Amino acid sequence: MAPLISAGDLAERVRAGAVRLLDVRWRLDAPEGRLAYVAAHLPGAVYVDLESELARRGHPELGSYPPPTFAQLERSVRRWGIDQGDLVVAYDDNDGVPAARAWWLLRRQGIEVRVLDGGLRAWVAEGLPIEHGDVAPPLGNATISELDPGIASIDDAARAPRQGYLIDVRSPEHYRGRAPGRDPVAGHIPGAINLPTITHISPTGVLKSPDEIRATVAAAGIDADADIVLYCGTGIASAHSALALASAGIESRIFTGSWSQWALLSSRPVAVGSRPAAALRGS
């Protein structure tokens, strides 16, 4: 099943009343997107709070945004008004990054879920209708199972460069250890290849074509058929890279703790510089 849907195709589904829309407005510097949602959202869209519904807070030892439990996720799915058999489309105003988190969590749960390619910007560019206010649908009846969405543990991430590929999807500055952040140390996991998630986004905000994504992966020296583990700073942006790879027919797993978990552990080695294992610090 294709993980993306265009604004035009989604508009037809909305007019037919055959879709449940999830507005996942979120940014690291502006995590509360409800005000923007209330001001303008797609018709019938339900606001999704990424930090409380697509993550499980209060467990810093697992990283900044560990996935919710299956029970938590199922409660949220029903709150969003999702019934069994519904088409679910997630969108945002941040190049599909937070919406991809919803897609990633739901994609193996028997729910047909897609991400609006280009997000809110693509919808508005087509001159399609916008609504205001809040939407609180009746509780849905969808159920989910305890199926792994594709999680890699911290030990999986450490082994990935030897058993396949570990991809760091952060900016080159963060990868090289040159950008200060909230984490105790800066740099990357030894052996990780830097392939920023923004590499897969076109200037208009839609994903690049499957051929372009496959070419980018190949140019980075990555075998698309091998075991691929992704990580980022907090575990959110890596879902976007998983979405991009999936659109090109490439499977991957996500180290959900990402750098926010790895950097907390003094026992884990850190590499800095532009090469996968450059200038190791630690043991």
Side-chain angles (χ1 to χ4, degrees):
M1 179 178 64
L4 300 171
I5 188 170
S6 69
D9 288 345
L10 178 57
E12 292 183 9
R13 298 289 193 113
V14 170
R15 284 191 288 267
V19 62
R20 172 60 65 197
L21 298 173
L22 304 181
D23 186 307
V24 195
R25 223 79 69 91
W26 177 90
R27 298 171 186 270
L28 269 176
D29 59 350
E32 179 52 70
R34 183 177 288 278
L35 290 178
Y37 158 80
V38 170
H41 57 78
L42 271 63
V46 178
Y47 177 69
V48 174
D49 187 320
L50 183 146
E51 298 202 356
S52 66
E53 296 185 300
L54 302 181
R56 177 165 43 109
R57 303 306 302 273
H59 297 272
E61 74 282 3
L62 300 178
S64 297
Y65 300 104
T69 66
F70 290 101
Q72 289 171 326
L73 183 60
E74 187 171 72
R75 284 195 298 271
S76 296
V77 163
R78 291 177 177 174
R79 186 195 74 77
W80 302 331
I82 299 174
D83 290 328
Q84 212 71 35
D86 281 352
L87 168 65
V88 177
V89 176
Y91 74 91
D92 57 55
D93 61 355
N94 189 16
D95 291 331
V97 172
R101 172 75 165 209
W103 165 82
W104 182 74
L105 285 170
L106 296 174
R107 64 180 181 144
R108 293 178 177 170
Q109 297 299 336
I111 294 174
E112 184 181 358
V113 58
R114 302 183 193 178
V115 170
L116 172 58
D117 199 12
L120 184 62
R121 178 167 36 151
W123 183 268
V124 171
E126 293 282 343
L128 295 166
I130 291 293
E131 286 186 351
H132 312 284
D134 204 354
V135 174
L139 290 177
N141 61 25
T143 61
I144 65 172
S145 305
E146 294 195 19
L147 298 176
D148 176 18
I151 294 174
S153 69
I154 191 169
D155 290 329
D156 291 334
R159 290 189 293 263
R162 300 189 302 273
Q163 298 180 345
Y165 298 90
L166 179 64
I167 300 177
D168 184 321
V169 310
R170 297 174 299 162
S171 69
E173 292 77 16
H174 284 94
Y175 174 82
R176 294 171 184 174
R178 294 179 179 173
R182 297 178 294 180
D183 301 306
V185 293
H188 60 268
I189 299 174
I193 296 170
N194 188 211
L195 187 58
T197 194
I198 60 171
T199 305
H200 307 304
I201 304 172
S202 75
T204 61
V206 300
L207 275 182
K208 292 181 179 178
S209 71
D211 286 344
E212 289 175 302
I213 292 170
R214 283 191 291 267
T216 298
V217 169
I222 297 165
D223 179 357
D225 295 323
D227 183 34
I228 296 173
V229 173
L230 310 170
Y231 79 94
C232 55
T234 64
I236 303 300
S238 46
H240 185 275
S241 284
L243 174 73
L245 295 182
S247 74
I250 302 171
E251 281 299 314
S252 63
R253 293 182 293 152
I254 294 176
F255 166 33
T256 53
S258 285
W259 189 250
S260 61
Q261 181 182 20
W262 187 278
L264 282 178
L265 302 173
S266 59
S267 60
R268 297 289 179 174
V270 174
V272 295
S274 60
R275 291 182 289 114
L280 279 173
R281 295 202 303 250
S283 57

